[in-house]
Amino acid sequence: MSSDFESYEQDFAVLTADITGRIGRVPKLLGDEKKQMVANIEKQLEEARELLEQMELEVREIPPQSRGMYSSRMRSYKQEMGKLEADFKRSRIAYSDEVRNELLGDDGNSSENQLIKLREERAHLLDNTERLERSSRRLEAGYQIAVETEQIGQEMLENLSHDREKIQRARERLRETDANLGKSSRILTGMLRRIIQNRILLVVLAVFIILTTAAAIFFSVQGR
């Protein structure tokens, strides 16, 4: 999984570097060449968004214990993407103002104050848009962290459940072992008791035989 992520990561780095260079060239171009450059940048930004989506899908497939580093890199790439989009918006504002001036000609020079005011309003709107985008990215990052935390918590609960089952099975085996030991102890005690009884019987029998033999010898000697 990480190899696919790193491949997308390299493609994203090359693409964003090319986009950055092209955005810087927009103010220096004129006419159709500038229009074509703007269209190409829009296409490349769309490709960069698709790469980010692919990278995010790859990150979700990475095990939670290794996901933190990749999630941090994703947040950095999203911030870089937001900066590129903001820079592109600024270049497009300058581009639209230039087109307006070309269309207005001399009248454009007479309405310079209105154009300045319009630029200021657009810049203000752009700042508000950037703030909203930053807030949206923070919310998205917070949501992603919450999802990752939930996944980690779920996996921990599953691991605890498995551990609990193992402990229960171990306890059952211990109970069975204790029961078997108890049975074995009772059997050994019974065997030991029978051995002692047999030895006592042997001793009594031996004493009886000895006494009987001695009595027979004694009476035999007395008879003579």
Side-chain angles (χ1 to χ4, degrees):
M1 293 296 179
S2 60
S3 60
D4 293 334
F5 179 87
E6 290 171 357
S7 176
Y8 290 133
E9 194 175 32
Q10 291 176 0
D11 293 340
F12 181 80
V14 173
L15 186 58
T16 52
D18 189 28
I19 293 172
T20 301
R22 293 193 174 194
I23 290 175
R25 290 166 55 193
V26 168
K28 302 176 183 178
L29 300 176
L30 298 173
D32 292 338
E33 189 176 4
K34 180 174 288 189
K35 292 179 182 178
Q36 185 63 41
M37 180 65 72
V38 170
N40 291 338
I41 293 173
E42 288 177 342
K43 183 178 178 181
Q44 286 183 310
L45 286 173
E46 184 61 30
E47 292 177 1
R49 295 187 195 99
E50 292 177 358
L51 280 175
L52 280 179
E53 292 176 359
Q54 292 295 330
M55 292 162 68
E56 192 165 9
L57 289 175
E58 292 296 329
V59 169
R60 292 177 183 174
E61 297 296 327
I62 295 174
Q65 58 270 22
S66 305
R67 192 180 299 163
M69 176 181 66
Y70 293 96
S71 297
S72 177
R73 283 153 71 174
M74 277 301 303
R75 286 192 291 271
S76 176
Y77 294 143
K78 287 179 180 179
Q79 290 175 358
E80 182 179 356
M81 187 68 193
K83 183 178 181 300
L84 280 177
E85 291 175 340
D87 291 342
F88 181 57
K89 285 179 181 179
R90 292 191 186 95
S91 70
R92 291 203 60 178
I93 289 174
Y95 168 66
S96 61
D97 287 345
E98 184 175 341
V99 170
R100 178 182 292 272
N101 289 335
E102 291 176 356
L103 292 174
L104 291 176
D106 294 336
D107 293 338
N109 295 328
S110 63
S111 58
E112 183 178 356
N113 292 332
Q114 293 180 356
L115 291 176
I116 292 173
K117 184 177 180 181
L118 181 61
R119 290 194 193 98
E120 292 175 352
E121 291 176 354
R122 287 180 178 176
H124 182 67
L125 289 173
L126 180 59
D127 290 338
N128 290 337
T129 302
E130 290 179 355
R131 291 193 189 97
L132 289 174
E133 289 178 350
R134 286 195 296 270
S135 299
S136 177
R137 288 195 294 270
R138 291 193 192 99
L139 289 174
E140 185 178 355
Y143 174 75
Q144 185 66 28
I145 292 171
V147 170
E148 292 175 1
T149 303
E150 182 181 1
Q151 291 176 348
I152 293 172
Q154 185 176 359
E155 292 179 0
M156 290 179 65
L157 289 175
E158 291 177 355
N159 293 333
L160 289 174
S161 178
H162 294 325
D163 293 341
R164 182 181 179 184
E165 292 176 359
K166 291 179 182 178
I167 292 172
Q168 288 178 345
R169 287 196 295 269
R171 286 179 176 175
E172 291 175 357
R173 286 195 291 269
L174 284 174
R175 292 193 189 99
E176 293 175 357
T177 303
D178 289 340
N180 293 332
L181 287 174
K183 292 178 182 178
S184 300
S185 178
R186 289 192 294 272
I187 292 171
L188 289 174
T189 301
M191 291 174 65
L192 182 60
R193 187 181 296 113
R194 285 193 293 272
I195 290 172
I196 293 172
Q197 290 174 351
N198 290 336
R199 287 184 177 179
I200 292 173
L201 288 174
L202 287 174
V203 170
V204 170
L205 183 60
V207 171
F208 176 76
I209 291 172
I210 293 171
L211 291 175
T212 302
T213 303
I217 294 171
F218 176 76
F219 287 120
S220 175
V221 172
Q222 289 293 328
R224 292 179 182 178

